[in-house]
Amino acid sequence: MSRTLAPVVVFAYNRPVHLQRTLDALAGCRLAADVRVVVFADGPRKPEAAAAVAEVRRVLEAEGGAGRFGAFEVHAAERNLGLANSIIGGVGRVIERDGRAIVLEDDLLVSEDFLAFMNDCLDFYADDPAVGAVSGFCPLQAMPPGFEGDVFLAMRNASQGWGTWKRVWEGVDWSASGKQRLDRNWAMRRAFNREGNDRYDRLRRQMAGKIDSWSVRFGLSLFLRGLGTVYPVVNRVGNTGYDGSGVHCGSGAPINERIAESDYSLQQVALDPAIQRAFHRTYSGSLRGRLAREALALWPALATRLGR
């Protein structure tokens, strides 16, 4: 085919069953036979993880000989890099070569039109000055009344089933020094939290070394550059990792577990306050948690005094 598809970058660690399901779903996509899949498999974090990591490598070895994708490339780390470092380094490596990438982790299931949708978005919004990323995930189970369209823009990035371009990735400040601007400016903190008041608190915990998130740092970079993420109205990405098996997801229920494919058309997008409010309700959590985070966003020094 004449069209050049974005490579799909998959990150795996110690969940062979989840990874197999992710690869099976990806192989079921239209265009799968033409896409290059690049897998970064992390090394064991602890000795007791070695057996599961070895099983993941066996899954990848078998997939390499299955011929289900246009190309299948594996980079297996000998030591544990952690998810954040793996994604920052792996995505950067692929984007440097290909100029764009689609990113999946090993607990995601995708719809059959996922690759078509993501590549169409990466083509359509490639030079859009308002767009920094695209995603196949939709966290909203229902759109605000009166909304028309198949895609929408949000200033909150997606961490599952997403893609971006070199023009965006190479401008990310992974030290997140821009947090200082938010610390000094209440209005900026409020804007950063407009689509979920967990965001500034996650950024604060990242800088305090209490979490290790690539996503909140990527999101900060997009926000400070005025770049949004394009989402679909119909969710195309499901998460199977809320079963206690993951290092980062924990247990519970996914935000939106219904995935489907659908006809779609792409158009220029702009922020919709109703969608921003819907995001805020979806991501801000319980009333108690919202109030605590609102206080921390109002007075950043309070977190230090409370030792949080």
Side-chain angles (χ1 to χ4, degrees), residues 135-177:
S135 179
F137 174 65
C138 179
L140 305 181
Q141 296 188 24
M143 298 304 295
F147 179 83
E148 296 182 358
D150 299 318
V151 294
F152 62 88
L153 186 71
M155 294 304 292
R156 181 182 183 120
N157 63 300
S159 61
Q160 50 189 37
W162 58 281
T164 192
W165 306 268
K166 183 178 180 180
R167 66 170 172 86
V168 176
W169 194 257
E170 65 183 4
V172 178
D173 172 16
W174 293 108
S175 73
S177 61

mmCIF file of all heavy atoms in Angstrom, residues 135-177:
data_model
loop_
_atom_site.group_PDB
_atom_site.id
_atom_site.type_symbol
_atom_site.label_atom_id
_atom_site.label_comp_id
_atom_site.label_asym_id
_atom_site.label_seq_id
_atom_site.Cartn_x
_atom_site.Cartn_y
_atom_site.Cartn_z
ATOM 1 N N SER A 135 -6.006 10.467 20.483
ATOM 2 C CA SER A 135 -6.248 9.251 21.257
ATOM 3 C C SER A 135 -7.428 8.494 20.685
ATOM 4 O O SER A 135 -8.339 9.078 20.088
ATOM 5 C CB SER A 135 -6.528 9.598 22.728
ATOM 6 O OG SER A 135 -6.792 8.415 23.475
ATOM 7 N N GLY A 136 -7.422 7.171 20.879
ATOM 8 C CA GLY A 136 -8.575 6.354 20.536
ATOM 9 C C GLY A 136 -9.474 6.111 21.720
ATOM 10 O O GLY A 136 -10.516 5.456 21.604
ATOM 11 N N PHE A 137 -9.104 6.644 22.881
ATOM 12 C CA PHE A 137 -9.854 6.449 24.118
ATOM 13 C C PHE A 137 -10.814 7.597 24.350
ATOM 14 O O PHE A 137 -10.480 8.762 24.103
ATOM 15 C CB PHE A 137 -8.874 6.346 25.289
ATOM 16 C CG PHE A 137 -9.529 6.289 26.638
ATOM 17 C CD1 PHE A 137 -10.327 5.219 26.988
ATOM 18 C CD2 PHE A 137 -9.334 7.304 27.563
ATOM 19 C CE1 PHE A 137 -10.934 5.158 28.241
ATOM 20 C CE2 PHE A 137 -9.926 7.254 28.813
ATOM 21 C CZ PHE A 137 -10.724 6.185 29.151
ATOM 22 N N CYS A 138 -12.008 7.279 24.828
ATOM 23 C CA CYS A 138 -12.957 8.307 25.256
ATOM 24 C C CYS A 138 -13.377 8.019 26.686
ATOM 25 O O CYS A 138 -13.972 6.965 26.953
ATOM 26 C CB CYS A 138 -14.186 8.346 24.360
ATOM 27 S SG CYS A 138 -15.404 9.592 24.891
ATOM 28 N N PRO A 139 -13.081 8.908 27.638
ATOM 29 C CA PRO A 139 -13.457 8.662 29.031
ATOM 30 C C PRO A 139 -14.919 8.952 29.329
ATOM 31 O O PRO A 139 -15.411 8.595 30.402
ATOM 32 C CB PRO A 139 -12.545 9.622 29.805
ATOM 33 C CG PRO A 139 -12.341 10.754 28.855
ATOM 34 C CD PRO A 139 -12.293 10.135 27.481
ATOM 35 N N LEU A 140 -15.623 9.607 28.417
ATOM 36 C CA LEU A 140 -17.011 10.002 28.654
ATOM 37 C C LEU A 140 -17.955 8.924 28.136
ATOM 38 O O LEU A 140 -17.930 8.569 26.957
ATOM 39 C CB LEU A 140 -17.313 11.331 27.956
ATOM 40 C CG LEU A 140 -16.388 12.502 28.309
ATOM 41 C CD1 LEU A 140 -16.823 13.756 27.562
ATOM 42 C CD2 LEU A 140 -16.360 12.747 29.815
ATOM 43 N N GLN A 141 -18.807 8.427 29.008
ATOM 44 C CA GLN A 141 -19.763 7.409 28.590
ATOM 45 C C GLN A 141 -20.928 8.014 27.819
ATOM 46 O O GLN A 141 -21.652 7.300 27.116
ATOM 47 C CB GLN A 141 -20.255 6.636 29.803
ATOM 48 C CG GLN A 141 -19.143 5.860 30.495
ATOM 49 C CD GLN A 141 -19.642 4.943 31.590
ATOM 50 O OE1 GLN A 141 -20.791 4.525 31.578
ATOM 51 N NE2 GLN A 141 -18.781 4.626 32.544
ATOM 52 N N ALA A 142 -21.141 9.310 27.964
ATOM 53 C CA ALA A 142 -22.172 10.018 27.203
ATOM 54 C C ALA A 142 -21.680 11.433 26.947
ATOM 55 O O ALA A 142 -21.055 12.048 27.810
ATOM 56 C CB ALA A 142 -23.496 10.043 27.977
ATOM 57 N N MET A 143 -21.956 11.945 25.768
ATOM 58 C CA MET A 143 -21.549 13.302 25.431
ATOM 59 C C MET A 143 -22.562 14.302 25.964
ATOM 60 O O MET A 143 -23.731 13.972 26.169
ATOM 61 C CB MET A 143 -21.426 13.443 23.906
ATOM 62 C CG MET A 143 -20.381 12.535 23.283
ATOM 63 S SD MET A 143 -18.735 12.744 24.001
ATOM 64 C CE MET A 143 -18.380 14.434 23.493
ATOM 65 N N PRO A 144 -22.143 15.539 26.211
ATOM 66 C CA PRO A 144 -23.076 16.566 26.669
ATOM 67 C C PRO A 144 -24.221 16.751 25.666
ATOM 68 O O PRO A 144 -24.022 16.590 24.458
ATOM 69 C CB PRO A 144 -22.203 17.825 26.751
ATOM 70 C CG PRO A 144 -20.813 17.307 26.925
ATOM 71 C CD PRO A 144 -20.763 16.033 26.136
ATOM 72 N N PRO A 145 -25.418 17.055 26.160
ATOM 73 C CA PRO A 145 -26.564 17.253 25.254
ATOM 74 C C PRO A 145 -26.256 18.299 24.193
ATOM 75 O O PRO A 145 -25.658 19.340 24.474
ATOM 76 C CB PRO A 145 -27.665 17.740 26.208
ATOM 77 C CG PRO A 145 -27.282 17.196 27.545
ATOM 78 C CD PRO A 145 -25.781 17.222 27.580
ATOM 79 N N GLY A 146 -26.653 17.976 22.976
ATOM 80 C CA GLY A 146 -26.473 18.911 21.875
ATOM 81 C C GLY A 146 -25.134 18.838 21.176
ATOM 82 O O GLY A 146 -24.941 19.517 20.162
ATOM 83 N N PHE A 147 -24.202 18.020 21.704
ATOM 84 C CA PHE A 147 -22.899 17.936 21.045
ATOM 85 C C PHE A 147 -23.041 17.206 19.718
ATOM 86 O O PHE A 147 -23.666 16.154 19.623
ATOM 87 C CB PHE A 147 -21.876 17.213 21.916
ATOM 88 C CG PHE A 147 -20.520 17.094 21.265
ATOM 89 C CD1 PHE A 147 -19.619 18.140 21.331
ATOM 90 C CD2 PHE A 147 -20.173 15.955 20.545
ATOM 91 C CE1 PHE A 147 -18.376 18.049 20.702
ATOM 92 C CE2 PHE A 147 -18.933 15.850 19.927
ATOM 93 C CZ PHE A 147 -18.043 16.907 20.004
ATOM 94 N N GLU A 148 -22.426 17.761 18.695
ATOM 95 C CA GLU A 148 -22.414 17.135 17.380
ATOM 96 C C GLU A 148 -20.966 16.973 16.926
ATOM 97 O O GLU A 148 -20.138 17.842 17.128
ATOM 98 C CB GLU A 148 -23.188 17.981 16.371
ATOM 99 C CG GLU A 148 -24.681 18.108 16.693
ATOM 100 C CD GLU A 148 -25.421 18.913 15.654
ATOM 101 O OE1 GLU A 148 -24.769 19.401 14.707
ATOM 102 O OE2 GLU A 148 -26.653 19.063 15.794
ATOM 103 N N GLY A 149 -20.689 15.865 16.304
ATOM 104 C CA GLY A 149 -19.342 15.609 15.832
ATOM 105 C C GLY A 149 -18.877 14.244 16.279
ATOM 106 O O GLY A 149 -19.450 13.628 17.189
ATOM 107 N N ASP A 150 -17.823 13.756 15.658
ATOM 108 C CA ASP A 150 -17.275 12.435 15.965
ATOM 109 C C ASP A 150 -15.999 12.500 16.788
ATOM 110 O O ASP A 150 -15.527 11.468 17.279
ATOM 111 C CB ASP A 150 -16.996 11.678 14.663
ATOM 112 C CG ASP A 150 -18.259 11.472 13.845
ATOM 113 O OD1 ASP A 150 -19.304 11.136 14.455
ATOM 114 O OD2 ASP A 150 -18.214 11.657 12.614
ATOM 115 N N VAL A 151 -15.423 13.698 16.919
ATOM 116 C CA VAL A 151 -14.227 13.911 17.735
ATOM 117 C C VAL A 151 -14.375 15.210 18.498
ATOM 118 O O VAL A 151 -15.207 16.056 18.154
ATOM 119 C CB VAL A 151 -12.939 13.952 16.864
ATOM 120 C CG1 VAL A 151 -12.660 12.611 16.220
ATOM 121 C CG2 VAL A 151 -13.035 15.047 15.814
ATOM 122 N N PHE A 152 -13.566 15.362 19.541
ATOM 123 C CA PHE A 152 -13.576 16.603 20.309
ATOM 124 C C PHE A 152 -12.186 16.872 20.860
ATOM 125 O O PHE A 152 -11.316 15.988 20.864
ATOM 126 C CB PHE A 152 -14.616 16.548 21.430
ATOM 127 C CG PHE A 152 -14.375 15.460 22.451
ATOM 128 C CD1 PHE A 152 -13.573 15.671 23.565
ATOM 129 C CD2 PHE A 152 -14.974 14.203 22.307
ATOM 130 C CE1 PHE A 152 -13.354 14.675 24.499
ATOM 131 C CE2 PHE A 152 -14.764 13.198 23.225
ATOM 132 C CZ PHE A 152 -13.961 13.435 24.334
ATOM 133 N N LEU A 153 -11.978 18.077 21.329
ATOM 134 C CA LEU A 153 -10.680 18.503 21.872
ATOM 135 C C LEU A 153 -10.774 18.658 23.376
ATOM 136 O O LEU A 153 -11.772 19.155 23.906
ATOM 137 C CB LEU A 153 -10.276 19.842 21.247
ATOM 138 C CG LEU A 153 -8.877 20.370 21.597
ATOM 139 C CD1 LEU A 153 -7.802 19.519 20.923
ATOM 140 C CD2 LEU A 153 -8.738 21.833 21.173
ATOM 141 N N ALA A 154 -9.732 18.236 24.075
ATOM 142 C CA ALA A 154 -9.615 18.463 25.516
ATOM 143 C C ALA A 154 -8.184 18.863 25.821
ATOM 144 O O ALA A 154 -7.254 18.487 25.106
ATOM 145 C CB ALA A 154 -9.998 17.212 26.306
ATOM 146 N N MET A 155 -8.014 19.619 26.906
ATOM 147 C CA MET A 155 -6.671 20.036 27.304
ATOM 148 C C MET A 155 -6.023 19.050 28.266
ATOM 149 O O MET A 155 -4.957 19.306 28.803
ATOM 150 C CB MET A 155 -6.728 21.432 27.928
ATOM 151 C CG MET A 155 -7.126 22.530 26.959
ATOM 152 S SD MET A 155 -6.052 22.627 25.499
ATOM 153 C CE MET A 155 -4.522 23.199 26.236
ATOM 154 N N ARG A 156 -6.665 17.929 28.463
ATOM 155 C CA ARG A 156 -6.103 16.853 29.274
ATOM 156 C C ARG A 156 -5.653 15.738 28.334
ATOM 157 O O ARG A 156 -6.433 15.256 27.508
ATOM 158 C CB ARG A 156 -7.139 16.318 30.259
ATOM 159 C CG ARG A 156 -6.605 15.207 31.154
ATOM 160 C CD ARG A 156 -7.670 14.672 32.088
ATOM 161 N NE ARG A 156 -7.101 13.673 32.979
ATOM 162 C CZ ARG A 156 -7.079 13.748 34.304
ATOM 163 N NH1 ARG A 156 -7.644 14.776 34.912
ATOM 164 N NH2 ARG A 156 -6.521 12.805 35.032
ATOM 165 N N ASN A 157 -4.406 15.301 28.452
ATOM 166 C CA ASN A 157 -3.902 14.247 27.573
ATOM 167 C C ASN A 157 -4.390 12.881 28.020
ATOM 168 O O ASN A 157 -4.784 12.677 29.174
ATOM 169 C CB ASN A 157 -2.376 14.267 27.527
ATOM 170 C CG ASN A 157 -1.744 13.970 28.875
ATOM 171 O OD1 ASN A 157 -1.979 14.699 29.841
ATOM 172 N ND2 ASN A 157 -0.951 12.921 28.956
ATOM 173 N N ALA A 158 -4.358 11.929 27.104
ATOM 174 C CA ALA A 158 -4.724 10.540 27.382
ATOM 175 C C ALA A 158 -3.470 9.704 27.538
ATOM 176 O O ALA A 158 -2.486 9.907 26.830
ATOM 177 C CB ALA A 158 -5.585 9.977 26.250
ATOM 178 N N SER A 159 -3.514 8.746 28.457
ATOM 179 C CA SER A 159 -2.350 7.886 28.669
ATOM 180 C C SER A 159 -2.564 6.482 28.122
ATOM 181 O O SER A 159 -1.684 5.633 28.240
ATOM 182 C CB SER A 159 -2.018 7.804 30.167
ATOM 183 O OG SER A 159 -3.108 7.246 30.891
ATOM 184 N N GLN A 160 -3.717 6.214 27.522
ATOM 185 C CA GLN A 160 -3.949 4.886 26.959
ATOM 186 C C GLN A 160 -4.474 5.020 25.532
ATOM 187 O O GLN A 160 -5.441 5.711 25.268
ATOM 188 C CB GLN A 160 -4.907 4.082 27.827
ATOM 189 C CG GLN A 160 -6.193 4.789 28.217
ATOM 190 C CD GLN A 160 -6.976 4.011 29.256
ATOM 191 O OE1 GLN A 160 -6.393 3.379 30.163
ATOM 192 N NE2 GLN A 160 -8.281 4.029 29.152
ATOM 193 N N GLY A 161 -3.762 4.361 24.634
ATOM 194 C CA GLY A 161 -4.154 4.387 23.234
ATOM 195 C C GLY A 161 -4.050 5.760 22.613
ATOM 196 O O GLY A 161 -5.025 6.317 22.137
ATOM 197 N N TRP A 162 -2.835 6.297 22.553
ATOM 198 C CA TRP A 162 -2.635 7.673 22.113
ATOM 199 C C TRP A 162 -1.520 7.725 21.072
ATOM 200 O O TRP A 162 -0.798 6.765 20.857
ATOM 201 C CB TRP A 162 -2.287 8.570 23.304
ATOM 202 C CG TRP A 162 -1.057 8.125 24.061
ATOM 203 C CD1 TRP A 162 -0.984 7.123 24.982
ATOM 204 C CD2 TRP A 162 0.274 8.631 23.914
ATOM 205 N NE1 TRP A 162 0.327 6.992 25.434
ATOM 206 C CE2 TRP A 162 1.110 7.905 24.801
ATOM 207 C CE3 TRP A 162 0.826 9.654 23.133
ATOM 208 C CZ2 TRP A 162 2.475 8.158 24.913
ATOM 209 C CZ3 TRP A 162 2.192 9.897 23.243
ATOM 210 C CH2 TRP A 162 2.996 9.158 24.129
ATOM 211 N N GLY A 163 -1.394 8.898 20.450
ATOM 212 C CA GLY A 163 -0.333 9.088 19.478
ATOM 213 C C GLY A 163 0.075 10.548 19.401
ATOM 214 O O GLY A 163 -0.681 11.441 19.795
ATOM 215 N N THR A 164 1.270 10.790 18.910
ATOM 216 C CA THR A 164 1.757 12.162 18.768
ATOM 217 C C THR A 164 2.828 12.221 17.687
ATOM 218 O O THR A 164 3.143 11.213 17.050
ATOM 219 C CB THR A 164 2.284 12.711 20.108
ATOM 220 O OG1 THR A 164 2.487 14.123 20.009
ATOM 221 C CG2 THR A 164 3.588 12.042 20.514
ATOM 222 N N TRP A 165 3.387 13.410 17.514
ATOM 223 C CA TRP A 165 4.339 13.677 16.446
ATOM 224 C C TRP A 165 5.674 14.164 17.030
ATOM 225 O O TRP A 165 5.742 14.641 18.170
ATOM 226 C CB TRP A 165 3.807 14.771 15.524
ATOM 227 C CG TRP A 165 2.453 14.505 14.967
ATOM 228 C CD1 TRP A 165 2.154 13.897 13.782
ATOM 229 C CD2 TRP A 165 1.186 14.868 15.551
ATOM 230 N NE1 TRP A 165 0.798 13.862 13.597
ATOM 231 C CE2 TRP A 165 0.184 14.446 14.665
ATOM 232 C CE3 TRP A 165 0.824 15.505 16.755
ATOM 233 C CZ2 TRP A 165 -1.178 14.641 14.935
ATOM 234 C CZ3 TRP A 165 -0.520 15.690 17.027
ATOM 235 C CH2 TRP A 165 -1.510 15.266 16.109
ATOM 236 N N LYS A 166 6.700 14.103 16.192
ATOM 237 C CA LYS A 166 8.023 14.569 16.601
ATOM 238 C C LYS A 166 8.001 16.044 16.982
ATOM 239 O O LYS A 166 8.677 16.460 17.922
ATOM 240 C CB LYS A 166 9.024 14.321 15.474
ATOM 241 C CG LYS A 166 10.461 14.705 15.810
ATOM 242 C CD LYS A 166 11.397 14.382 14.654
ATOM 243 C CE LYS A 166 12.833 14.764 14.996
ATOM 244 N NZ LYS A 166 13.770 14.456 13.886
ATOM 245 N N ARG A 167 7.234 16.863 16.253
ATOM 246 C CA ARG A 167 7.178 18.298 16.534
ATOM 247 C C ARG A 167 6.722 18.583 17.965
ATOM 248 O O ARG A 167 7.072 19.605 18.546
ATOM 249 C CB ARG A 167 6.223 19.002 15.561
ATOM 250 C CG ARG A 167 4.747 18.615 15.706
ATOM 251 C CD ARG A 167 3.846 19.528 14.892
ATOM 252 N NE ARG A 167 2.464 19.065 14.853
ATOM 253 C CZ ARG A 167 1.550 19.358 15.783
ATOM 254 N NH1 ARG A 167 1.877 20.097 16.824
ATOM 255 N NH2 ARG A 167 0.305 18.898 15.666
ATOM 256 N N VAL A 168 5.961 17.667 18.540
ATOM 257 C CA VAL A 168 5.471 17.822 19.911
ATOM 258 C C VAL A 168 6.434 17.172 20.900
ATOM 259 O O VAL A 168 6.838 17.780 21.893
ATOM 260 C CB VAL A 168 4.069 17.199 20.065
ATOM 261 C CG1 VAL A 168 3.596 17.279 21.522
ATOM 262 C CG2 VAL A 168 3.076 17.896 19.140
ATOM 263 N N TRP A 169 6.817 15.930 20.623
ATOM 264 C CA TRP A 169 7.612 15.141 21.573
ATOM 265 C C TRP A 169 8.968 15.776 21.855
ATOM 266 O O TRP A 169 9.425 15.782 22.996
ATOM 267 C CB TRP A 169 7.785 13.727 21.030
ATOM 268 C CG TRP A 169 8.294 12.740 22.039
ATOM 269 C CD1 TRP A 169 9.558 12.261 22.140
ATOM 270 C CD2 TRP A 169 7.527 12.104 23.074
ATOM 271 N NE1 TRP A 169 9.646 11.363 23.180
ATOM 272 C CE2 TRP A 169 8.410 11.243 23.763
ATOM 273 C CE3 TRP A 169 6.203 12.181 23.476
ATOM 274 C CZ2 TRP A 169 7.988 10.470 24.840
ATOM 275 C CZ3 TRP A 169 5.782 11.404 24.546
ATOM 276 C CH2 TRP A 169 6.670 10.560 25.217
ATOM 277 N N GLU A 170 9.598 16.321 20.811
ATOM 278 C CA GLU A 170 10.937 16.865 21.018
ATOM 279 C C GLU A 170 10.920 18.153 21.833
ATOM 280 O O GLU A 170 11.969 18.609 22.284
ATOM 281 C CB GLU A 170 11.630 17.093 19.675
ATOM 282 C CG GLU A 170 10.989 18.152 18.801
ATOM 283 C CD GLU A 170 11.665 18.283 17.450
ATOM 284 O OE1 GLU A 170 12.588 17.474 17.179
ATOM 285 O OE2 GLU A 170 11.287 19.164 16.659
ATOM 286 N N GLY A 171 9.756 18.743 22.052
ATOM 287 C CA GLY A 171 9.667 19.955 22.853
ATOM 288 C C GLY A 171 9.289 19.731 24.303
ATOM 289 O O GLY A 171 9.099 20.698 25.059
ATOM 290 N N VAL A 172 9.180 18.464 24.730
ATOM 291 C CA VAL A 172 8.757 18.174 26.101
ATOM 292 C C VAL A 172 9.911 18.388 27.082
ATOM 293 O O VAL A 172 11.027 17.913 26.863
ATOM 294 C CB VAL A 172 8.239 16.731 26.231
ATOM 295 C CG1 VAL A 172 7.847 16.435 27.682
ATOM 296 C CG2 VAL A 172 7.045 16.511 25.315
ATOM 297 N N ASP A 173 9.628 19.107 28.158
ATOM 298 C CA ASP A 173 10.586 19.288 29.255
ATOM 299 C C ASP A 173 10.286 18.223 30.307
ATOM 300 O O ASP A 173 9.365 18.371 31.108
ATOM 301 C CB ASP A 173 10.444 20.694 29.847
ATOM 302 C CG ASP A 173 11.264 20.888 31.118
ATOM 303 O OD1 ASP A 173 12.171 20.068 31.375
ATOM 304 O OD2 ASP A 173 10.985 21.851 31.862
ATOM 305 N N TRP A 174 11.056 17.127 30.280
ATOM 306 C CA TRP A 174 10.770 16.023 31.196
ATOM 307 C C TRP A 174 11.162 16.341 32.635
ATOM 308 O O TRP A 174 10.789 15.598 33.554
ATOM 309 C CB TRP A 174 11.468 14.757 30.709
ATOM 310 C CG TRP A 174 10.893 14.275 29.416
ATOM 311 C CD1 TRP A 174 11.490 14.329 28.191
ATOM 312 C CD2 TRP A 174 9.590 13.728 29.194
ATOM 313 N NE1 TRP A 174 10.648 13.837 27.224
ATOM 314 C CE2 TRP A 174 9.481 13.462 27.810
ATOM 315 C CE3 TRP A 174 8.520 13.429 30.040
ATOM 316 C CZ2 TRP A 174 8.328 12.897 27.249
ATOM 317 C CZ3 TRP A 174 7.371 12.883 29.484
ATOM 318 C CH2 TRP A 174 7.285 12.628 28.111
ATOM 319 N N SER A 175 11.887 17.430 32.854
ATOM 320 C CA SER A 175 12.160 17.846 34.230
ATOM 321 C C SER A 175 10.953 18.527 34.854
ATOM 322 O O SER A 175 10.913 18.748 36.067
ATOM 323 C CB SER A 175 13.355 18.803 34.272
ATOM 324 O OG SER A 175 12.998 20.083 33.752
ATOM 325 N N ALA A 176 9.950 18.880 34.019
ATOM 326 C CA ALA A 176 8.708 19.526 34.476
ATOM 327 C C ALA A 176 8.982 20.807 35.249
ATOM 328 O O ALA A 176 8.275 21.144 36.194
ATOM 329 C CB ALA A 176 7.874 18.558 35.319
ATOM 330 N N SER A 177 10.005 21.542 34.833
ATOM 331 C CA SER A 177 10.327 22.794 35.521
ATOM 332 C C SER A 177 9.204 23.818 35.403
ATOM 333 O O SER A 177 9.115 24.752 36.200
ATOM 334 C CB SER A 177 11.627 23.383 34.954
ATOM 335 O OG SER A 177 11.488 23.671 33.569
#
